[in-house]
Amino acid sequence: FWKEIKGKIPAFVRTGIDDENTCMRREGGVSPLVYDQIMAYLHAGGVENMRGILLLLLREFGDCPGIAAPPVYVPAWDGIYGLPEGMSEEEYLDRLAAEEEKPVIGILVHYHHILQEDTEHIDALMAAANAYGAIPLAVYTNMMPSENGYGGLKEAIRHYLKRGGESLIDALIVT
């Protein structure tokens, strides 16, 4: 596919492999400035930022005048979904670490589901865990490390699913 479009149309391609990303960025026909703008929108996530990508692409490649709004950043790329009201993440995680009677079921979710309010499946998994006498721990994360220091999935697992080097969860569901 890449050989067929390379040099014929501008292409933004992003994979999970750094060497491929370097090659695609160099050969994709998208200026470094536009590439970085697209990456900023993707990292920020959410519906408004996807709209921003479309406006940017229309301006750059569709000859449509207009200004794409800057990315709308969400403060957290990871966190606990369904955190009990009035309780901090640390308090909740400490409470789970002390839990000895009920199993804790980890539910790992990509943060885009949270940003786009696509959470019905998470709610259903949490309700099912509760119905079977378990405690759900739904954690959302961006998964991939970022250039600005966010550690991605490894950091989220270390922070949310472990305490003192020990696992907080008895099982893990990855959505």
Side-chain angles (χ1 to χ4, degrees):
F1 172 74
W2 181 247
K3 290 177 183 176
E4 293 174 22
I5 66 166
K6 181 178 151 186
K8 296 177 184 166
I9 62 170
F12 173 90
V13 178
R14 182 80 177 166
T15 73
I17 302 170
D18 289 337
D19 289 343
E20 283 182 352
N21 291 331
T22 300
C23 176
M24 300 297 182
R25 181 178 177 134
R26 184 179 59 246
E27 298 176 0
V30 175
S31 76
L33 177 63
V34 171
Y35 189 96
D36 290 343
Q37 288 173 319
I38 293 170
M39 286 301 300
Y41 283 118
L42 287 175
H43 278 296
V47 174
E48 282 303 308
N49 289 311
M50 297 308 108
R51 183 176 181 270
I53 290 174
L54 292 174
L55 291 173
L56 172 67
L57 295 175
L58 285 170
R59 184 188 74 212
E60 292 296 320
F61 304 111
D63 203 24
C64 296
I67 298 173
V72 177
Y73 289 97
V74 176
W77 285 15
D78 59 24
I80 298 173
Y81 175 75
L83 185 67
E85 194 169 319
M87 187 176 282
S88 74
E89 286 185 345
E90 295 306 312
E91 290 170 328
Y92 187 63
L93 293 171
D94 288 342
R95 187 177 107 193
L96 292 179
E99 177 62 49
E100 294 183 9
E101 293 184 25
K102 295 181 178 182
V104 178
I105 307 300
I107 303 169
L108 194 58
V109 180
H110 195 284
Y111 90 125
H112 277 126
H113 291 293
I114 306 302
L115 292 177
Q116 298 185 10
E117 300 176 16
D118 177 19
T119 58
E120 287 181 29
H121 64 295
I122 307 165
D123 296 332
L125 286 169
M126 292 176 72
N130 280 318
Y132 282 98
I135 301 171
L137 173 57
V139 173
Y140 60 92
T141 175
N142 185 25
M143 307 286 182
M144 295 297 293
S146 71
E147 290 85 17
N148 66 0
Y150 172 70
L153 179 59
K154 286 181 183 179
E155 183 177 312
I157 288 173
R158 239 186 331 272
H159 182 75
Y160 295 104
L161 303 181
K162 291 184 171 189
R163 272 290 181 263
E166 297 294 320
S167 179
L168 279 179
I169 59 174
D170 298 291
L172 178 64
I173 300 169
V174 180
T175 65

